[in-house]
Amino acid sequence: MTMQIKAIALYGNNNERRDIVFQLSGVNIITGASKRGKSSLLDIVEYCLGASECNVAPGYISQTVAWYALLLTFPDTEAFIARAAPLSGQKSNGACHLLVGNSLELPEKKELQASTNVDGVTAFLTSKLGIPEQITEVPEQQTRKAISIAFKHSRYYLFQGQDEVAARRTLFHRQAEPHIPQAIKDTLPYFMGAAEDNRLNDLERLRELKRERIKLTKRVKEIENIAGDGFQKGTELLSEAAGLGLDDGIMPTNDEHLLHKLQTVTRWTPDQPEPNQNINDPLLRLEQEYKVFSEKKRNVRARLRAANEYNNSSLGFEHEVEEQSKRLKSIKLFESLKSTESCPVCENSNGGKSHFLTTMHNFIEELDNKLEGVSRSKPRVNSYVARLREEDQQLAAGLKKTRAAMTKLREEQDALRTKSELDAARLRALGRISLYLESTSLDNDTRQLNEKIALLDPQIDELEARLDPIALQETLDSQLSLISEDMTAWARDLKLEHSEYPIRLDIKALTVVAETPHGRIPLYKMGSGENWVGYHLVTYLALAKWFIEQNRPVGRFIFFDQPTQVYFPSEASVTGDLDEIKDDEDRASVKRMFEWIFEVVDQLYPNLQVIITDHADIGEEWFQDAVIDTKWRDEQALIPKHWYEPN
């Protein structure tokens, strides 16, 4: 016995606790009418065991329960796992309470606290069941990610929900969900035992040995390629060194002289850069300086252009004023206007000051003043233009000097770059020469390397044979053949269709097939719901038997929900008695199914616990002894009525 369920506990918001206690190593039946919470038990168990979501349907359970809990038993200890109910609008809750010890009692609600999370619970279960660190193998041509096997991957073989136990196209728990079918295909070989527990360590060891062999083989090839034809290869390397300026180019006449010259070449070292060099890039500094000079020169040119335009306009004004002044002076108008009491033309008296003459006199004076102003500003404008032209010449000289410095610096950098490339080529040649010299030494004889490779080869061959995917598949096929013997015999016990032929579990298609002379018949072509339910039960119990006999790390319980649904009309079923089934043959099939389950569990005692939630309530002693809790009919249900109707 690795793990079985001792009790389920529900902690209500009213601080009360609802317990359902199970029998270990036997059949446990919870019978009752529809809508009493039977199907929710499977969801509660899976939620406590680390499911990502709580699938309990909305209703009285989700409205009244604050914590869901399990009491598990192991060969050497017990574990209590409680998980908080999801908050309103949430699908799950990560708060968990984990207790481990001997003979545990169910704690009170006030004692529950978030002592761990879902990852902590699943890690505990993975370790407790003895699942070692194991990663699934993915073929090189495929892109899916490897799976780190854990307890959650064993849940596929522990549960059959109401919509799964009678399904025709899916066989395993959650198989209809995305990515789950591939996860089942990848992990089942491990849980079956086809992939050994130490396979991961062997795979890593194989990778290490192969890497070491590749490293040694590469070293041998390098030495052999460098050594080449001995003297000829050394001569080629010396010629290459001479072409790079590392040798005088005089070819040696014997091996000893050749080795001496090559050893001399290897002592060459590149020139070291001068210390305390300016870290800042001088070219960048010059480019910045050139940019500043250019900007200043553009400003000076703009100011000079504006000054010239002003000077040209003032010269035009001065010329026009002087021209008008000369005309007035030619007729002596300036002198005649000095008196405003006589006419400037006839020189007769006006009998007083004339307003017209006064205006003319003022205008002439203003014109004369402007002419003098233009004459006075002309030297200042000329001086300003001269200063701008001088500044423009200085900036042009600065630009020329900076540009010349930049050109010279670029030429120097090109030379340095060429020298750097030459030094790099020389260093590469020195590396080949050094390797050639090493290959000629007895200390690096390839025989030693080949001896190491020879020691690695048998270890690699042994691991490859052990880890061969084809061998793994052959082992898995052999195990499935053994399991098929039980499946075939049990299918005949249940009188399922096509059971006259060998019945087999098809891992690639994740279904049950009948091997007939006309080909395989998959589950979905096997007729009625009675066959679909029967083959689901046969498959799960055959796998459980294999896990037990091979001591595989899978829980020792199976949870079946509503296996008789194809016989009982759920809405019309009141008592669950077989008399509610009209057909005599169907009543016989139901009784035969339960008797067979009891028989198989007895054969595997004390290593298997089967929990069944169903409508059926067979009035025979062997069945009634397996019924736990009160029968969930009338007001009896998973959730007490006063939890949601306190009045």
Side-chain angles (χ1 to χ4, degrees):
M1 178 181 69
T2 58
M3 181 178 75
Q4 293 184 4
I5 301 174
K6 194 172 181 180
I8 296 175
L10 306 183
Y11 292 83
N13 295 321
N14 58 2
N15 295 322
E16 292 186 21
R17 192 183 73 214
R18 169 76 162 100
D19 300 339
I20 302 173
V21 180
F22 295 92
Q23 301 175 16
L24 301 177
S25 305
V27 178
N28 293 260
I29 298 175
I30 296 177
T31 180
S34 298
K35 301 179 181 179
R36 295 298 189 275
K38 298 189 303 298
S39 296
S40 295
L41 285 179
L42 185 150
D43 297 324
I44 291 170
V45 172
E46 192 171 17
Y47 182 64
C48 292
L49 293 178
S52 59
E53 295 183 6
C54 181
N55 292 317
V56 175
Y60 292 141
I61 302 174
S62 60
Q63 293 170 7
T64 59
V65 176
W67 287 81
Y68 301 100
L70 281 181
L71 182 58
L72 303 174
T73 180
F74 298 88
D76 58 344
T77 189
E78 291 183 350
F80 172 81
I81 300 172
R83 186 171 178 185
L87 300 176
S88 178
Q90 301 296 317
K91 295 181 179 181
S92 66
N93 193 322
C96 297
H97 182 75
L98 175 63
L99 294 174
V100 180
N102 296 321
S103 301
L104 293 178
E105 298 291 337
L106 292 172
E108 297 299 324
K109 181 184 176 184
K110 61 182 180 181
E111 301 176 51
L112 301 183
Q113 57 182 344
S115 61
T116 185
N117 55 21
V118 177
D119 290 339
V121 169
T122 54
F124 165 76
L125 294 173
T126 299
S127 174
K128 193 62 184 174
L129 287 174
I131 300 176
E133 182 182 1
Q134 187 86 350
I135 299 177
T136 59
E137 299 172 54
V138 180
E140 294 181 359
Q141 66 272 20
Q142 298 187 15
T143 59
R144 69 176 186 272
K145 295 182 179 180
I147 297 175
S148 180
I149 301 176
F151 165 75
K152 65 179 181 180
H153 300 107
S154 70
R155 297 204 307 260
Y156 305 136
Y157 320 110
L158 302 179
F159 300 99
Q160 282 280 278
Q162 182 177 2
D163 58 342
E164 296 171 333
V165 72
R168 59 189 295 193
R169 293 190 177 273
T170 57
L171 180 63
F172 292 102
H173 180 52
R174 297 179 57 201
Q175 183 179 330
E177 299 178 19
H179 311 298
I180 298 299
Q182 190 60 56
I184 295 174
K185 295 176 185 179
D186 288 344
T187 58
L188 184 56
Y190 165 73
F191 288 110
M192 292 277 294
E196 298 177 358
D197 292 350
N198 59 349
R199 187 176 180 86
L200 178 63
N201 294 331
D202 288 344
L203 283 170
E204 182 59 31
R205 176 62 178 161
L206 179 60
R207 284 190 286 266
E208 291 178 358
L209 293 176
K210 284 185 174 181
R211 284 194 293 265
E212 182 65 18
R213 184 173 64 178
I214 291 173
K215 179 180 177 181
L216 294 174
T217 303
K218 183 179 179 181
R219 176 67 175 169
V220 170
K221 289 182 178 180
E222 287 176 347
I223 292 175
E224 291 176 348
N225 291 335
I226 292 296
D229 297 327
F231 185 79
Q232 180 180 353
K233 187 65 178 180
T235 303
E236 292 174 358
L237 291 171
L238 189 61
S239 298
E240 182 183 358
L244 295 171
L246 296 173
D247 186 72
D248 54 15
I250 301 175
M251 291 295 103
T253 56
N254 54 59
D255 289 352
E256 184 178 354
H257 189 200
L258 172 65
L259 295 176
H260 175 72
K261 296 198 72 174
L262 289 174
Q263 289 172 349
T264 302
V265 168
T266 58
R267 288 193 285 269
W268 176 86
T269 56
D271 296 334
Q272 298 296 324
E274 295 181 4
N276 301 324
Q277 285 187 333
N278 187 7
I279 300 177
N280 297 326
D281 187 356
L283 182 60
L284 184 63
R285 180 179 54 79
L286 288 174
E287 288 176 347
Q288 187 66 27
E289 184 178 322
Y290 187 84
K291 182 179 179 181
V292 172
F293 276 136
S294 299
E295 185 66 26
K296 287 183 177 180
K297 195 171 188 305
R298 279 195 296 271
N299 292 336
V300 169
R301 283 294 178 91
R303 287 154 56 196
L304 183 61
R305 187 165 51 253
N308 286 330
E309 290 176 356
Y310 172 81
N311 195 28
N312 291 335
S313 63
S314 63
L315 287 175
F317 176 76
E318 182 183 8
H319 176 74
E320 183 65 24
V321 171
E322 286 182 352
E323 182 68 22
Q324 297 300 328
S325 176
K326 288 179 181 179
R327 290 176 182 177
L328 293 175
K329 287 180 180 180
S330 64
I331 59 175
K332 298 181 180 180
L333 183 60
F334 283 110
E335 295 177 359
S336 60
L337 287 175
K338 290 181 179 180
S339 173
T340 59
E341 296 181 358
S342 59
C343 178
V345 178
C346 60
E347 296 181 354
N348 294 327
S349 175
N350 293 325
K353 290 185 177 182
S354 171
H355 177 71
F356 171 76
L357 291 178
T358 302
T359 301
M360 288 291 296
H361 179 77
N362 293 337
F363 175 77
I364 292 299
E365 285 186 352
E366 182 180 356
L367 183 64
D368 191 37
N369 291 335
K370 288 182 178 180
L371 185 61
E372 290 180 1
V374 169
S375 299
R376 288 195 302 270
S377 65
K378 184 176 181 181
R380 291 196 298 272
V381 173
N382 291 338
S383 175
Y384 177 71
V385 170
R387 287 198 307 272
L388 290 177
R389 287 176 177 170
E390 182 180 359
E391 186 176 355
D392 181 66
Q393 291 175 356
Q394 292 175 353
L395 291 172
L399 281 171
K400 183 177 180 181
K401 181 179 178 181
T402 304
R403 187 165 46 247
M406 291 168 60
T407 301
K408 183 178 180 182
L409 186 58
R410 288 195 179 101
E411 291 174 352
E412 291 176 353
Q413 288 184 342
D414 290 341
L416 289 174
R417 189 177 299 109
T418 302
K419 184 178 183 303
S420 177
E421 293 173 354
L422 177 61
D423 287 346
R426 287 172 172 176
L427 290 172
R428 287 193 294 270
L430 288 180
R432 289 190 290 272
I433 293 172
S434 298
L435 190 56
Y436 172 78
L437 293 174
E438 291 177 4
S439 68
T440 60
S441 173
L442 294 177
D443 294 336
N444 289 280
D445 194 337
T446 57
R447 288 178 297 179
Q448 297 180 5
L449 299 176
N450 287 323
E451 288 175 358
K452 293 181 180 179
I453 294 174
L455 293 175
L456 293 176
D457 286 339
Q459 300 180 57
I460 293 174
D461 293 341
E462 179 185 356
L463 287 173
E464 284 182 335
R466 189 190 311 167
L467 301 172
D468 184 12
I470 297 177
L472 174 63
Q473 187 61 46
E474 290 176 351
T475 302
L476 182 60
D477 290 340
S478 178
Q479 294 174 343
L480 293 174
S481 296
L482 296 174
I483 292 175
S484 70
E485 294 180 3
D486 287 325
M487 295 178 64
T488 303
W490 291 343
R492 292 169 183 170
D493 291 341
L494 293 175
K495 298 182 180 181
L496 302 179
E497 291 183 18
H498 308 291
S499 60
E500 67 272 20
Y501 303 112
I503 303 300
R504 186 177 179 86
L505 175 59
D506 185 348
I507 293 299
K508 293 182 179 179
L510 294 182
T511 190
V512 174
V513 296
E515 303 281 7
T516 75
H518 307 290
R520 288 184 168 184
I521 300 178
L523 178 63
Y524 69 90
K525 291 184 178 180
M526 289 185 181
S528 65
E530 177 183 350
N531 290 289
W532 303 331
V533 172
Y535 280 115
H536 278 253
L537 299 177
V538 163
T539 302
Y540 266 65
L541 288 173
L543 285 173
K545 180 181 177 183
W546 179 266
F547 295 149
I548 291 170
E549 292 177 344
Q550 302 301 317
N551 195 28
R552 301 307 300 160
V554 181
R556 298 296 188 254
F557 72 88
I558 305 176
F559 206 120
F560 293 117
D561 183 29
Q562 313 286 350
T564 66
Q565 59 185 285
V566 297
Y567 304 102
F568 278 96
S570 59
E571 296 299 330
S573 176
V574 177
T575 65
D577 191 271
L578 293 183
D579 292 337
E580 293 182 345
I581 302 175
K582 296 181 180 181
D583 190 85
D584 292 339
E585 187 175 344
D586 286 347
R587 287 197 295 269
S589 296
V590 171
K591 185 177 179 181
R592 183 169 53 247
M593 179 181 67
F594 276 103
E595 288 176 338
W596 169 76
I597 293 175
F598 275 79
E599 181 181 348
V600 173
V601 174
D602 286 342
Q603 291 175 4
L604 299 176
Y605 183 87
N607 296 306
L608 183 61
Q609 177 190 46
V610 171
I611 301 172
I612 302 174
T613 54
D614 208 295
H615 292 289
D617 187 7
I618 301 175
E620 297 193 21
E621 185 177 355
W622 55 270
F623 187 95
Q624 295 300 317
D625 288 343
V627 175
I628 63 170
D629 207 65
T630 57
K631 297 179 181 181
W632 296 0
R633 303 187 188 282
D634 298 325
E635 293 186 357
Q636 299 298 320
L638 175 61
I639 299 298
K641 189 174 182 179
H642 69 274
W643 280 27
Y644 54 89
E645 292 184 4
N647 295 326

